[in-house]
Amino acid sequence: SYVLTQPPSVSVAPRQTARITCGGNDIGSKSVHWYQQRPGQAPVLVVYDDGARPSGIPERFSGSNSRNTATLTISRVEAGDEADYHCQVWDNPTDHWVFGGGTKLTVL
Amino acid sequence: QVQLVESGGGVVQPGRSLRLSCAASGFTFSSFAMHWARQAPGKGLEWVALISYDGNNEYYADSVKGRFTISRDDSKSTLYLQMNSLGPEDTAIYYCARGSSGNFAFWAYWGQGTLVTVSS
């Protein structure tokens, strides 16, 4: 089965840049989506198709995807960005959706 | 605006069944693939099932295949998840979500979830 690997936690100071990675075999050939989940709330889409942003999501959120690693980048981090972030792909060979284990972003 | 409201969660004994519902509004329900995902306490998200926009195709996670059935009633704009032979490992918040265009696109909207607890 296809596996996505995320670091359990990332810490960053306010106004700095946070980078959250999502590793997978040849993930660069897949479309990666990212969801933000604040404590006690449902997930919210923040980046889709590797690097596109839904309406209403700040430009500070961006994404990239190449070879075996996809990255969610949050620039000028704010306290309100503190949340869990989950990456997701559709795995064609198995016809399964796959989520990474999630990364807790802490704003110091 | 798009709204997804799950219901049907609760406490159920191991081996019993439960049916979850997801009432959709604010969009043409019959035009979109729909999904179920779950999140065990303190854990990450786990995909559960997908049903195509026309109901002709269903896909399941290995952990639930043969026990869970996803279905939809377009006349009621409602998505269902029939869960049989429940075990403690099925304890989780269950979310329904609406896809974007196509069956395998990103999940544009999520409901607030319903909690299922499997315990004797």
Side-chain angles (χ1 to χ4, degrees), chain B residues 69-80:
Chain B
T69 302
I70 188 172
S71 62
R72 62 191 300 157
D73 185 337
D74 290 349
S75 69
K76 297 181 179 179
S77 295
T78 301
L79 176 72
Y80 301 101

Side-chain angles (χ1 to χ4, degrees), chain B:
Chain B
Q1 72 282 21
V2 172
Q3 275 200 309
L4 300 169
V5 180
E6 302 94 336
S7 61
V11 179
V12 60
Q13 293 180 329
R16 304 298 292 266
S17 299
L18 203 62
R19 189 177 83 156
L20 305 183
S21 300
C22 170
S25 61
F27 64 99
T28 304
F29 183 73
S30 59
S31 296
F32 292 91
M34 296 295 296
H35 311 270
W36 286 102
R38 66 185 181 183
Q39 188 169 36
K43 303 295 185 182
L45 296 169
E46 179 188 15
W47 170 66
V48 173
L50 150 66
I51 187 166
S52 60
Y53 73 97
D54 57 7
N56 288 339
N57 298 97
E58 302 165 22
Y59 304 83
Y60 296 94
D62 295 344
S63 58
V64 307
K65 193 167 187 177
R67 300 188 300 124
F68 290 12
T69 302
I70 188 172
S71 62
R72 62 191 300 157
D73 185 337
D74 290 349
S75 69
K76 297 181 179 179
S77 295
T78 301
L79 176 72
Y80 301 101
L81 184 67
Q82 177 67 43
M83 305 186 295
N84 299 331
S85 302
L86 286 163
E89 68 278 9
D90 298 313
T91 293
I93 297 172
Y94 284 74
Y95 296 99
C96 69
R98 195 205 86 176
S100 181
S101 59
N103 289 327
F104 312 121
F106 55 91
W107 300 11
Y109 299 94
W110 296 62
Q112 286 303 305
T114 186
L115 177 62
V116 173
T117 303
V118 184
S119 173
S120 54

Side-chain angles (χ1 to χ4, degrees), chain A residues 35 37 42 48 88 90 96-97, chain B residues 39 62 95 104-107 111:
Chain A
Y35 301 88
Q37 187 178 27
Y48 66 94
Q88 179 201 41
W90 172 255
H96 278 38
W97 280 102
Chain B
Q39 188 169 36
D62 295 344
Y95 296 99
F104 312 121
F106 55 91
W107 300 11

